[in-house]
Amino acid sequence: MNLVSVAARNVLRNKFRTLLTVIGAVVAVLAFVLLRTVLSAWNVAADHAAKDRIATRHKISFILPLPKRYMDTVREVPGVTEGSFMSWFGAKDPRDANNFFASMAVESKTFFKVYDEMVVSPEGMERWLGDRKGAIVGDVLATRLKVKPGDTVTLEGTIYPGTWQFNVSGIYTATRKSIDRSQFIFHYDYLNESLPERQRDQIGWMTARIDDPSRSADISAAIDKIFDEKDVQTATMSERAMNLSFMAMMSAVLTALNVVSIIILLIMMMILGNTIAMGVRERTREYGVLRALGFEPKHVRIFIIGEAATIGLLAGFLGLVVSYPIVELGLGRWLEEDMGAWFPYFRIEPSTMVMAVLLSMGLSLVASLIPAYNASKLSVTDALRRVA
């Protein structure tokens, strides 16, 4: 038995109020964990981007096309070891128009060399290269579409209207967290040959592997310099920078989420502070008796701060217990399957768990400082006369 254990026991003096306080703090921890996980998941693509890969797009905007012939020029730049190109297709499943997934036409022979973290079985790759209408589907998307190699898939075009048929050649998995496992990959030639003459030989963007990641900026500048005198100029950057440029479009939302997470913590501190202050007022006479028996002001402070720390620690751990099934097993799985383009990897980071518990306990301690200080400054006679 010591002062801290006695303080912890005091938490149960008013079980109903403590229960409501803990529930309120648990909800705050849950909201905090959810927001921090959204922010960390949004940054996965940039944090885990390949260091030896660069991307080239139209200088003005990502949505404007590039001439397909530019790819041959990029491959000849010193330092580039392999290159490929892609075009956004923007198709949807006619059975479920709300089922969004990335669909891209890619250069067949080089795409999976540049993106070697997308793993396809040798049999699947052989089928794909030998089938003009072949498609490689991410394992998450394949589960959602309920398809397997050998099945036929019909998609409705949006950017390129019409009904498009594909044969599922293989399923890919990913060895890097930044890769969306809900992509639909097919041959660029299939798309290009189906377009009117004036729309042919246009691509969305190019990606290249380089031999030295430390020279990424120099190689990017060399590529852009080649096209400076052309009709269509380019902007080349590292894969991380490209991903960050996409994220910049949502910078206002991310900033708002950061602000909201701070507000949630302040609300939690006020909830805890109110409960602690009420408990101190109710037990002021008890603290006066303890002082009369010889306890010092520091002992009173330990009682109050220890009780607050216990509530904060309990709320933090219970908040994590509740967060795991809701955030990771529930919402996280849904986001990875239905919004993999934005959230390819949605997991609660260990740093978020530690931060949630420490902040819950730390804010409880901060909320208890003023009540603890005021209680310790009361004289014995004033404390004994005090009526809660």
Side-chain angles (χ1 to χ4, degrees):
M1 182 69 68
N2 53 52
L3 293 177
V4 176
S5 63
V6 172
R9 289 175 180 270
N10 279 335
V11 170
L12 299 177
R13 289 282 292 273
N14 191 323
K15 296 182 178 63
F16 184 68
R17 184 171 64 206
T18 299
L19 176 63
L20 292 179
T21 301
V22 171
I23 290 175
V26 165
V27 172
V29 171
L30 170 61
F32 174 79
V33 170
L34 174 59
L35 291 177
R36 298 309 303 180
T37 303
V38 169
L39 291 173
S40 63
W42 192 269
N43 288 302
V44 160
D47 293 340
H48 296 275
K51 294 180 173 60
D52 63 341
R53 200 156 51 211
I54 58 177
T56 301
R57 61 170 176 82
H58 196 289
K59 187 174 184 178
I60 296 175
S61 173
F62 180 81
I63 64 174
L64 296 178
L66 294 171
K68 176 175 172 287
R69 65 179 183 276
Y70 276 21
M71 188 74 259
D72 295 330
T73 304
V74 170
R75 289 194 178 101
E76 296 174 356
V77 175
V80 173
T81 59
E82 186 58 89
S84 189
F85 59 79
M86 292 139 279
S87 287
W88 185 265
F89 186 59
K92 60 183 179 180
D93 182 2
R95 299 170 300 176
D96 183 7
N98 295 322
N99 181 10
F100 175 82
F101 54 88
S103 54
M104 293 188 297
V106 306
E107 188 176 27
S108 308
K109 295 181 179 180
T110 59
F111 178 79
F112 287 101
K113 294 179 181 178
V114 175
Y115 289 90
D116 55 1
E117 64 267 49
M118 300 172 70
V119 182
V120 184
S121 68
E123 298 79 10
M125 184 61 66
E126 183 178 358
R127 283 192 298 267
W128 188 57
L129 293 176
D131 186 356
R132 178 174 173 271
K133 294 185 178 181
I136 301 294
V137 184
D139 57 337
V140 173
L141 179 61
T143 301
R144 199 182 342 149
L145 295 178
K146 299 178 181 179
V147 298
K148 61 184 183 303
D151 290 349
T152 299
V153 176
T154 300
L155 299 181
E156 291 292 335
T158 54
I159 300 175
Y160 304 97
T163 300
W164 299 76
Q165 286 192 337
F166 303 91
N167 302 317
V168 178
S169 302
I171 308 296
Y172 77 82
T173 56
T175 59
R176 193 188 296 271
K177 295 178 181 179
S178 58
I179 294 296
D180 176 14
R181 291 158 55 200
S182 296
Q183 297 183 78
F184 191 96
I185 308 296
F186 65 97
H187 297 286
Y188 171 80
D189 289 341
Y190 177 41
L191 170 64
N192 193 48
E193 293 166 4
S194 303
L195 297 177
E197 185 68 31
R198 65 180 185 280
Q199 291 182 283
R200 292 182 183 177
D201 296 330
Q202 298 290 314
I203 60 176
W205 68 98
M206 301 177 289
T207 306
R209 299 298 287 261
I210 57 177
D211 56 5
D212 185 359
S214 65
R215 297 185 58 240
S216 173
D218 294 336
I219 297 174
S220 298
I223 292 174
D224 291 336
K225 185 177 180 180
I226 294 174
F227 300 116
D228 278 346
E229 304 301 324
K230 305 292 183 180
D231 293 336
V232 178
Q233 289 80 45
T234 61
T236 305
M237 61 199 75
S238 66
E239 183 174 275
R240 173 180 171 81
M242 176 72 82
N243 291 334
L244 288 174
S245 69
F246 292 142
M247 293 163 53
M249 296 184 292
M250 299 292 289
S251 61
V253 175
L254 299 180
T255 302
L257 291 178
N258 265 319
V259 173
V260 170
S261 66
I262 295 173
I263 293 174
I264 287 172
L265 294 179
L266 294 176
I267 292 174
M268 181 172 69
M269 186 173 69
M270 288 188 287
I271 292 173
L272 296 170
N274 180 64
T275 298
I276 295 166
M278 291 177 65
V280 169
R281 286 196 298 271
E282 291 175 354
R283 293 197 289 274
T284 299
R285 288 173 62 86
E286 295 180 20
Y287 296 142
V289 172
L290 291 175
R291 291 291 308 282
L293 292 175
F295 284 83
E296 299 178 9
K298 66 179 181 180
H299 297 140
V300 175
R301 290 195 293 269
I302 291 175
F303 276 129
I304 299 171
I305 293 175
E307 183 178 343
T310 302
I311 294 176
L313 189 62
L314 181 62
F317 277 114
L318 289 179
L320 288 182
V321 170
V322 172
S323 298
Y324 184 77
I326 294 177
V327 175
E328 188 157 317
L329 299 182
L331 180 63
R333 296 297 182 271
W334 179 81
L335 288 173
E336 287 181 1
E337 293 178 3
D338 293 278
M339 300 183 68
W342 291 282
F343 299 104
Y345 186 84
F346 197 91
R347 300 286 192 279
I348 301 175
E349 296 289 336
S351 58
T352 300
M353 297 181 184
V354 174
M355 190 185 305
V357 174
L358 292 181
L359 286 174
S360 178
M361 188 173 178
L363 290 172
S364 298
L365 294 176
V366 171
S368 69
L369 292 179
I370 294 178
Y373 177 79
N374 291 336
S376 66
K377 288 299 181 181
L378 284 173
S379 65
V380 175
T381 55
D382 289 340
L384 292 173
R385 285 200 297 263
R386 181 71 64 87
V387 177

